[in-house]
Amino acid sequence: MSASSKIAPKLIFRLQFEPEGRIGRGKIQLLHHIRQTGSISAGGRAMDMSYRRAWLLVDEMNRLFREPVVESQRGGKQGGGAVLTPFGEALIAHYHAMEEKARAALAEDIDWIVDHLAD
């Protein structure tokens, strides 16, 4: 098997804040879905996740930062809803920028490792 036919590894970027807070691609993906759907429950469903799980992840992010990431409205005649705050939008942009910088900075080393994978 040549190096070009080997499957390239995925670089998975995550920020870990001690003791338990973290931001990674799953939470960022959830924020993308909430932005698209206007709903925490629909955002979670798009990821095969229960409303409770999605809500807990949003709550964790909102508690992790000084500013909320998502603002939600309770249901009623108009139904509930959720929107990303300006900070939530900026968080997505900065996360993707950091992810791309890490990918670019490590590309040569990753290529070297791929070139040395067993056939």
Side-chain angles (χ1 to χ4, degrees):
M1 179 186 302
S2 69
S4 62
S5 66
K6 292 180 183 174
I7 297 174
K10 290 182 182 179
L11 179 64
I12 298 173
F13 184 77
R14 181 173 77 181
L15 295 171
Q16 180 76 37
F17 305 98
E18 297 302 331
E20 294 182 30
R22 61 188 150 272
I23 296 291
R25 64 186 183 163
K27 287 180 183 162
I28 296 298
Q29 185 179 16
L30 177 59
L31 293 179
H32 278 288
H33 287 297
I34 291 169
R35 179 200 293 149
Q36 277 185 312
T37 64
S39 164
I40 294 172
S41 60
R45 277 193 308 271
M47 297 177 67
D48 292 325
M49 165 186 315
S50 70
Y51 169 75
R52 177 171 165 67
R53 177 73 178 140
W55 187 89
L56 288 172
L57 292 173
V58 167
D59 185 56
E60 180 184 331
M61 287 186 279
N62 280 345
R63 285 184 288 108
L64 184 60
F65 298 104
R66 286 186 296 218
E67 301 177 54
V69 176
V70 174
E71 290 181 342
S72 61
Q73 298 173 343
R74 293 201 184 271
K77 284 186 178 183
Q78 302 293 323
V83 295
L84 298 185
T85 64
F87 176 76
E89 294 286 354
L91 178 63
I92 290 174
H94 282 276
Y95 177 87
H96 286 309
M98 290 185 294
E99 191 176 41
E100 186 54 41
K101 288 174 189 174
R103 193 174 292 118
L106 298 172
E108 190 175 308
D109 294 315
I110 291 171
D111 288 345
W112 183 88
I113 289 171
V114 169
D115 287 345
H116 290 88
L117 289 174
D119 290 339

